[in-house]
């Protein structure tokens, strides 16, 4: 009899334990479901708010021309913020929604949104995955360059207007007008000088990819900085640019610059496919080496405990006085990358 009571007590205790485990599992499932629902609700609410902000900014930029320049730098910020906070899959849905809504508005809004969304999504994706701000900057710049190229192609497809050809035609008309004005005034300008001016403009047109790349890099820097400022105000997880003095190029950039410069010694056909590649790669590498030289200014000032205003003034003077000083800054960047000046300075400290 005692054995029977003990067996019944054992079965009740075991059933109670199973019931407790089952209750905990059901509770955990319900709580996870509520958490997912609340998270999805937050994603939807924030997505609707940021999409609304983006569309308002887009419409103002289209229909109020005075605000174009300012709003151009603000448009990517809502997209970057959403991608930073919610990642890839929700970010794709968000991008598709604003693309669809902008397409319903105007063709111009649709192509502007394409040019903005690709770079902003790349920036936000990189920052969401805790990649460095410089990595996010480069990915964003590549995205904006691709988006701008799609914008040019789409504009030409819809309106039949080739912007690059329009710029060339406008230049030719302006040059002919200037020539006629100069002849009217009586100033003598030789044909060789006019050919030099024309050749300089032709070279500038060859460098359009470099100008797009540099413009995309500056655009990515400003938009990412704005997004980081807003994110840091609303989140404890701060995203900051590292000090500019830590900017350091890999040696491969120096090799690319030297190879491109060496290739220019040969007689390359300006109308061939190889010439634009060499010109753009060399100029872009040269611009990066100028940035390396500017970065060394800040490193040297920090290393010597000099006032921070001095490297800032050096950069401003280099830009203002143009070709000569920038060429010297590029040489400084070459020396810094090639001979590792910073490592030598830190080892002697």
């Amino acid at each position: 009899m005692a054995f029977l009571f003990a067996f019944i007590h054992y079965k009740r205790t075991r059933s109670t334990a199973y019931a407790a485990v089952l209750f905990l599992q059901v509770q955990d499932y319900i709580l996870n479901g509520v958490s997912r629902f609340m998270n999805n609700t937050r994603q939807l609410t924030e997505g609707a708010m940021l999409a609304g902000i983006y569309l308002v900014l887009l419409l103002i930029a289209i229909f109020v021309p005075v605000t174009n320049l300012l709003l151009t730098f603000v448009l990517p910020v809502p997209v970057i913020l959403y991608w930073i906070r919610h990642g890839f899959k929700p970010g794709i849905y968000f991008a598709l929604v604003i693309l669809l809504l902008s397409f319903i508005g105007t063709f111009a809004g649709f192509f502007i949104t394409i040019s903005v969304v690709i770079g902003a999504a790349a920036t936000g994706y990189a920052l969401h995955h805790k990649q460095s701000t410089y990595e996010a900057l480069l990915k964003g710049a590549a995205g904006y360059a691709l988006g701008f190229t799609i914008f040019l192609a789409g504009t030409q497809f819809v309106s039949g207007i080739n912007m690059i050809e329009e710029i060339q035609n406008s230049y030719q008309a302006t040059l002919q007008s200037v020539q006629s004005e100069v002849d009217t005034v009586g100033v003598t300008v030789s044909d060789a000088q006019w050919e030099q001016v024309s050749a300089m403009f032709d070279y500038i047109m060859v460098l359009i990819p470099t100008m797009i790349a540099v413009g995309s890099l500056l655009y990515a820097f400003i938009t990412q900085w704005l997004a980081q400022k807003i994110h840091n105000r609303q989140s404890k997880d701060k995203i900051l640019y590292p000090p500019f003095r830590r900017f350091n190029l890999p040696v491969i950039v120096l090799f690319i610059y030297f190879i491109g410069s060496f290739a220019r010694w040969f007689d390359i056909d300006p109308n061939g496919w190889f010439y634009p590649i060499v010109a753009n790669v060399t100029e872009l590498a040269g611009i990066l080496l100028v940035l390396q030289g500017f970065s060394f200014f800040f490193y040297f000032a920090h290393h010597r405990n000099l006032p921070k205003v001095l490297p800032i003034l050096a950069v401003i003077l280099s830009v203002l006085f143009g070709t000569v000083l920038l060429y010297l800054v590029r040489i400084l960047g070459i020396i810094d990358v090639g001979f590792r000046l910073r490592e030598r300075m830190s080892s002697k400290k």
Side-chain angles (χ1 to χ4, degrees), residues 59 64 223:
L59 292 174
V64 185
T223 55

Side-chain angles (χ1 to χ4, degrees), residues 107-148:
F107 277 112
F110 177 73
F111 288 120
I112 291 172
T113 301
I114 288 180
S115 65
V116 165
V117 160
I118 298 175
T123 301
Y125 178 81
L127 295 176
H128 176 77
H129 288 279
K130 310 300 181 184
Q131 297 177 8
S132 72
T133 49
Y134 283 140
E135 286 182 271
L137 178 64
L138 291 177
K139 290 179 179 180
Y144 289 127
L146 176 61
F148 183 70

Side-chain angles (χ1 to χ4, degrees), residues 55 97 106 111 120 137 154 156 170 177 185-186 211 281 300 347 349:
L55 291 173
V97 167
T106 59
F111 288 120
L137 178 64
Q156 182 177 355
S170 176
S177 175
V185 173
M211 290 187 284
V281 169
F300 183 82
S347 63
K349 190 173 180 180

